[in-house]
Amino acid sequence: MKFAKTICLLLLCLKLSAQNDDFPPARLLTSFQFEQLTGGIIILHATLNDLPDTLNFILDTGSGGISLDTTTALYYKLPLETSDRTVRGIGGSKNINYYKNGTLHFPGLDVTGLDFHINDYQILTEVYGLRVDGIIGFSFLRRYIVALDYDKHMMSVYMPGTYKYPKRGTFLKPSFASIPITQHLVQDERSYLLNFYFDTGAGLSLLLSEQFVKDSVFISSSRKSVNTQVEGLIGKINMRLTTVKRMNIGPYKFKRIPLHIYSDSINVLGYPSVKGLLGSDLLRRFNIVLNYPERLIHLTPNTHMRDPFDYSYTGMNYYFIDGKIVITEIQQGSPAEAAGLIPGDIIFGIETNFSNNISQYKALLQNPGQKVRILIFRNTLPQMFELKIGSILK
């Protein structure tokens, strides 16, 4: 009997080996640089069809398709088809039109037969200070194995096959129809094993549904939070911002993670099945292999693993509008209000930086406790203000 079992095991191993031989090695198609913005957002540069201009796309695992900005589609006079479909995302849902059968050209790679839904990304252009022409999600990612190196700002694209993963790191085995859902242990007043969307297109660390926070008593009702705004599918959304004590991503542990709490009135997240999302400011701390064909995600800690989280709080929102960085909202009781800043102020410089670069200005405002001088134009006249940057930890 023992001999028979040994023979069976041997035959099984030979069968599995033969099956593996049927799959060729994953073949590298191309590697190219990406641009990284505030919060770990990835920008890919590509051209569309035979158009000469280079377009900017956000790489977004939280997108169930691929899309083009409304203004971009109108500018190039692309033929659009109406539909009765809707697209859902943080902030709501909306009806969509399509541009069908387009081709994207990346360095060393042409991706054909893409159906782009059309959406307005003006708010993202204003947030990041560069033209956002679209979002690349599942329609692209499902075709390839995609490796993201946040240390070198490199993206490599492979034809699906047997992939040689890094020796160290951890595997996530997401469930998804089009957006990966991964499970993680989160600890605060209580510990929970929760489902999150794996979302490289969200420029934050962690987001939870307000309904879950209320139902679970996960966070103490006495925990301090501040009011803030983030940008979603249909514009600006009010959220609460605080921290969560601990979170595990595979074997890797993080403490005092910034947490956005979102009142999800139309249940875009799909609560109670999914409780929130992991954003790019957490995910950028790993080099990532996205293997959608095999339904695997591999994470390897990179040099940003121990980067400090952004606990800063100014209480002001500012956007790149018509070539100027304009303050649009000031939260009551915030450091920005205490400094005397008001909506409509134009930021001309912070300290000695007069670059008019919104990403650089955001970086200068991420040091809690520091006092910074801000040169403002108000009613065309220059004024200097001193802002003491607050913290969500206090």
Side-chain angles (χ1 to χ4, degrees):
M1 182 65 70
K2 184 177 180 181
F3 176 75
K5 287 183 178 178
T6 302
I7 291 296
C8 288
L9 288 172
L10 179 60
L11 290 173
L12 178 60
C13 289
L14 289 172
K15 182 178 179 182
L16 290 174
S17 177
Q19 287 176 344
N20 289 335
D21 289 342
D22 290 339
F23 294 98
R27 178 167 58 90
L28 178 64
L29 298 174
T30 186
S31 294
F32 51 85
Q33 296 273 160
F34 62 74
E35 185 176 355
Q36 187 173 326
L37 304 181
T38 306
I41 295 294
I42 288 176
I43 295 290
L44 303 180
H45 304 293
T47 58
L48 176 65
N49 299 339
D50 56 355
L51 300 174
D53 300 320
T54 299
L55 305 181
N56 302 317
F57 292 87
I58 293 176
L59 182 67
D60 185 3
T61 57
S63 167
I66 191 166
S67 58
L68 280 172
D69 174 61
T70 304
T71 302
T72 302
L74 291 174
Y75 179 82
Y76 291 111
K77 300 178 181 178
L78 301 176
L80 304 184
E81 296 184 19
T82 59
S83 78
D84 56 0
R85 298 187 62 184
T86 60
V87 62
R88 290 162 58 87
I90 296 298
S93 63
K94 62 193 301 184
N95 293 325
I96 55 174
N97 296 327
Y98 279 93
Y99 168 64
K100 293 192 173 181
N101 200 30
T103 297
L104 281 182
H105 306 283
F106 298 94
L109 179 66
D110 297 332
V111 187
T112 61
L114 294 170
D115 293 342
F116 298 84
H117 70 258
I118 307 302
N119 196 24
D120 185 359
Y121 295 127
Q122 178 62 33
I123 186 65
L124 298 181
T125 293
E126 293 175 357
V127 168
Y128 296 116
L130 89 169
R131 177 78 244 163
V132 175
D133 294 292
I135 289 177
I136 292 175
F138 180 75
S139 297
F140 171 84
L141 294 168
R142 67 184 175 85
R143 302 185 183 195
Y144 305 105
I145 299 172
V146 175
L148 303 173
D149 187 330
Y150 285 88
D151 290 322
K152 298 178 181 178
H153 291 178
M154 291 291 294
M155 173 168 151
S156 298
V157 183
Y158 296 81
M159 185 63 71
T162 304
Y163 184 83
K164 188 175 181 179
Y165 293 93
K167 291 183 179 179
R168 67 192 189 101
T170 190
F171 283 98
L172 304 179
K173 297 181 179 179
S175 61
F176 59 88
S178 58
I179 299 174
I181 299 171
T182 55
Q183 196 171 71
H184 306 278
L185 181 67
V186 186
Q187 299 171 283
D188 205 275
E189 297 298 317
R190 301 180 183 182
S191 297
Y192 290 92
L193 194 62
L194 302 179
N195 288 332
F196 293 91
Y197 290 115
F198 188 97
D199 191 352
T200 62
L204 47 79
S205 292
L206 186 65
L207 178 146
L208 279 174
S209 160
E210 180 85 62
Q211 194 61 51
F212 165 72
V213 173
K214 290 178 179 177
D215 290 347
S216 64
V217 199
F218 174 63
I219 294 173
S220 170
S221 58
S222 62
R223 175 77 55 81
K224 177 191 172 184
S225 65
V226 296
N227 296 321
T228 188
Q229 282 188 341
V230 301
E231 294 72 35
L233 179 71
I234 60 172
K236 303 168 188 175
I237 308 125
N238 293 317
M239 294 192 187
R240 293 194 293 131
L241 177 60
T242 183
T243 59
V244 65
K245 290 180 181 177
R246 295 180 187 84
M247 180 175 188
N248 292 6
I249 299 180
Y252 307 106
K253 299 178 181 179
F254 298 92
K255 294 181 180 179
R256 302 188 90 178
I257 306 105
L259 170 66
H260 286 77
I261 301 175
Y262 169 46
S263 182
D264 189 4
S265 59
I266 64 171
N267 198 22
V268 170
L269 293 172
Y271 179 80
S273 176
V274 179
K275 307 301 192 296
L277 61 83
L278 299 184
S280 56
D281 201 35
L282 258 177
L283 300 178
R284 70 176 180 83
R285 298 159 196 270
F286 300 91
N287 291 338
I288 303 173
V289 178
L290 301 167
N291 190 341
Y292 278 32
E294 298 272 341
R295 293 179 173 263
L296 288 175
I297 295 174
H298 186 273
L299 307 178
T300 307
N302 61 31
T303 58
H304 304 288
M305 187 68 171
R306 297 304 169 197
D307 283 0
F309 286 107
D310 177 17
Y311 301 117
S312 63
Y313 175 65
T314 62
M316 66 177 177
N317 294 85
Y318 46 98
Y319 299 92
F320 191 79
I321 301 173
D322 296 330
K324 301 172 184 177
I325 298 175
V326 182
I327 297 174
T328 57
E329 290 91 17
I330 298 288
Q331 299 291 337
Q332 246 184 347
S334 68
E337 184 184 56
L341 298 167
I342 61 173
D345 285 346
I346 298 170
I347 301 176
F348 189 76
I350 299 179
E351 291 296 321
T352 59
N353 188 315
F354 302 96
S355 64
N356 202 39
N357 184 304
I358 196 166
S359 291
Q360 292 183 25
Y361 288 175
K362 285 180 179 179
L364 291 170
L365 295 173
Q366 289 181 351
N367 299 297
Q370 183 177 343
K371 293 181 179 179
V372 294
R373 293 170 299 162
I374 303 181
L375 180 60
I376 293 294
F377 271 79
R378 181 181 293 172
N379 299 323
T380 72
L381 298 176
Q383 296 186 48
M384 186 71 75
F385 293 85
E386 186 176 78
L387 170 68
K388 184 177 181 180
I389 302 168
S391 171
I392 61 173
L393 297 179
K394 298 178 182 179

